[in-house]
Amino acid sequence: MNEHRTRLLSPGTEGAGPVLYWMHRDHRARDNWGLAQAFLLARRAGCSVAAFHCLDPDYPAPNPAHVRFLLGGLEETARGLEALGVPFARLLGDPPVQAARLARAVDARAVVADFDPLRHKRRWLRDAARAMPCPLYETDSRNTVPCIAASDKRETAARTLRPKIRRLLPEFLEEFPALPVQERPPLLPPHPGLQGLEQALPRLAGARAPQGFAPGEDAAAAALERFVRHGLAGYAQARNNPSRDAQSGLSPWLHFGMLSGQRAALSAASAEAPEEDRQAFLEELVVRRELADNFCLHAQDYDQTSCYPAWARASLEKHRGDPRPALYPRDRLEAARTDDPAWNAAQTELVRTGKMHGYMRMYWCKKLLEWTPCVEEAQALAVDFNDRLSLDGRDPNGYAGIAWSLGGVHDRPWGDRPVFGVVRSMTLAGLHRKFDVEAYAVRVRNPG
């Protein structure tokens, strides 16, 4: 594997035990560069590999149904690891504390952790680096071109990151290596396991994963195969038409790391579909997703209005006192009871399924600016709804999308308008010109 995917966070002292893989973003046993890096280090040292996941009871915006989706996927991943002879510990508590404790308990040779640009995950790795007795590595298995290799600065738009990604793709868009089966798995100390986690988290009682998205690697792989076979052709033209169910639908599995974005890219690149469609999908899957990771890594205020570019902040401030066409209270917005049928359909789709059509996400978010007293409230509301209701929330894609919609991040100034200033606006009339809004609303009301 390309070792530029990995960087050393703290040197520590190598122990005599196994290499530990700390799974916290990429929850899968196959197509996983972090796990592959752990095997590489273990082979060099002549030792074995073990893996662990730590559920943080204080994780931001926890939704019991989403936690249930994660735990269901981890059960399948545990079986995949077991087939490789890799024991898998499921821990509960402050992840960096638990990670260092486990490393000391097994006298770990090293620990390999997933890369994640979000604030709380950066904190986890900083704290773990200080407490870890052995070397701590970070491997980017989320991005096809590793985030730290693609750019060392905050990119202003897709057009500035795209050429860097394309230049590096031949180096990093490679097939995943086959991992060996360990004949003598290492022993791990007792840990809570799934039953123990559920007993320690009473809010999970009765919670079920959202309907329509089965958790786990197998469901993710099946969804990818269906899309490549039946949905990729025509994708470039149909993807932005919410009245048609033409998006890939892969984002929940991509968000939870149950599907490798690189596996999806390899599958799409070799598919029998028109070049226009393959390139449109790869633009979103690779360039846009990696732009979101770049944004969150270099703008740790990614969920605040302070992350907006100066031109957008100045224009929004100039229009702060503009009359709003309507002001809706939070409960009415969450219940999808506005006077806008398209917005109501989008919000209903989000609440019912845990997912919203990507094009409607932009409109949905922009209308919050018109329906709240100020951009700060719109920003906070969009983040809350997205993180709490969306199965693929709490993700760089969501934070970047909200910042684009409300604050012009990765965009440019447009014509000056009330409320929005020179931030790009969207209107219901514009939606009607683009697609059949009523057909979209009917599809949401009558899924399947």
Side-chain angles (χ1 to χ4, degrees), residues 202-236:
R203 68 176 180 271
L204 291 180
R208 296 183 178 181
Q211 296 181 357
F213 299 98
E217 299 179 56
D218 289 345
L224 173 62
E225 182 177 6
R226 283 195 303 272
F227 171 69
V228 169
R229 285 180 177 271
H230 307 295
L232 185 56
Y235 179 78

Side-chain angles (χ1 to χ4, degrees), residues 97-354:
V97 172
Q98 297 299 323
R101 182 176 298 166
L102 180 61
R104 287 191 293 269
V106 301
D107 192 22
R109 179 82 55 165
V111 173
V112 179
D114 293 331
F115 165 81
D116 195 313
L118 298 185
R119 274 194 312 272
H120 59 285
K121 295 292 191 73
R122 303 319 300 165
R123 192 269 299 174
W124 286 5
L125 292 180
R126 286 194 302 270
D127 290 353
R130 288 192 290 266
M132 198 65 68
C134 61
L136 173 63
Y137 296 88
E138 177 185 59
T139 296
D140 190 345
S141 195
R142 175 57 58 100
N143 297 296
T144 302
V145 176
C147 187
I148 58 174
S151 177
D152 60 359
K153 65 178 183 179
R154 175 176 171 176
E155 298 293 333
T156 58
R159 68 178 181 277
T160 66
L161 182 62
R162 187 179 299 111
K164 298 177 181 180
I165 294 290
R166 288 179 175 173
R167 177 174 57 83
L168 292 169
L169 266 180
E171 179 182 350
F172 289 102
L173 186 58
E174 57 183 330
E175 186 55 70
F176 291 88
L179 300 180
V181 177
Q182 296 187 136
E183 296 181 359
R184 296 180 180 179
L187 294 177
L188 294 179
H191 53 88
L194 179 61
Q195 185 175 3
L197 293 178
E198 292 187 347
Q199 291 174 349
L201 296 171
R203 68 176 180 271
L204 291 180
R208 296 183 178 181
Q211 296 181 357
F213 299 98
E217 299 179 56
D218 289 345
L224 173 62
E225 182 177 6
R226 283 195 303 272
F227 171 69
V228 169
R229 285 180 177 271
H230 307 295
L232 185 56
Y235 179 78
Q237 296 299 319
R239 58 180 168 158
N240 285 334
N241 186 341
S243 65
R244 298 177 58 185
D245 188 13
Q247 294 203 315
S248 72
L250 299 176
S251 63
W253 295 290
L254 289 168
H255 165 68
F256 279 99
M258 298 170 187
L259 174 66
S260 160
Q262 185 157 344
R263 170 58 62 201
L266 289 166
S267 297
S270 61
E272 294 182 0
E275 177 70 8
E276 177 189 20
D277 298 316
R278 287 187 285 121
Q279 288 304 318
F281 179 65
L282 291 172
E283 167 72 14
E284 293 185 351
L285 179 72
V286 178
V287 176
R288 299 290 174 163
R289 287 179 78 237
E290 301 207 11
L291 182 63
D293 260 29
N294 169 274
F295 165 64
C296 289
L297 180 64
H298 294 286
Q300 290 282 284
D301 56 347
Y302 47 77
D303 56 354
Q304 305 293 321
T305 60
S306 56
C307 76
Y308 302 170
W311 61 263
R313 293 199 308 271
S315 185
L316 290 167
E317 183 62 31
K318 176 183 174 183
H319 289 270
R320 179 178 291 273
D322 288 2
R324 267 50 179 172
L327 290 175
Y328 294 107
R330 172 188 289 261
D331 59 347
R332 188 168 168 183
L333 288 167
E334 187 158 356
R337 291 190 295 110
T338 75
D339 296 321
D340 184 322
W343 196 93
N344 292 345
Q347 177 70 8
T348 299
E349 184 179 27
L350 176 62
V351 172
R352 286 183 178 175
T353 70

Side-chain angles (χ1 to χ4, degrees), residues 61-73 203-211 213-215 256 258 351-354 387-391 394:
N63 181 318
H66 300 173
V67 177
R68 177 66 66 189
F69 185 87
L70 169 63
L71 294 179
R203 68 176 180 271
L204 291 180
R208 296 183 178 181
Q211 296 181 357
F213 299 98
F256 279 99
M258 298 170 187
V351 172
R352 286 183 178 175
T353 70
D387 286 2
R388 186 163 47 85
L389 302 175
S390 181
L391 189 54
R394 309 157 309 284

Side-chain angles (χ1 to χ4, degrees), residues 1 3 19 37-47 109 137:
M1 63 175 285
E3 293 194 47
V19 174
Q37 177 66 25
F39 267 94
L40 178 62
L41 294 175
R43 187 183 72 226
R44 291 174 177 173
C47 64
R109 179 82 55 165
Y137 296 88

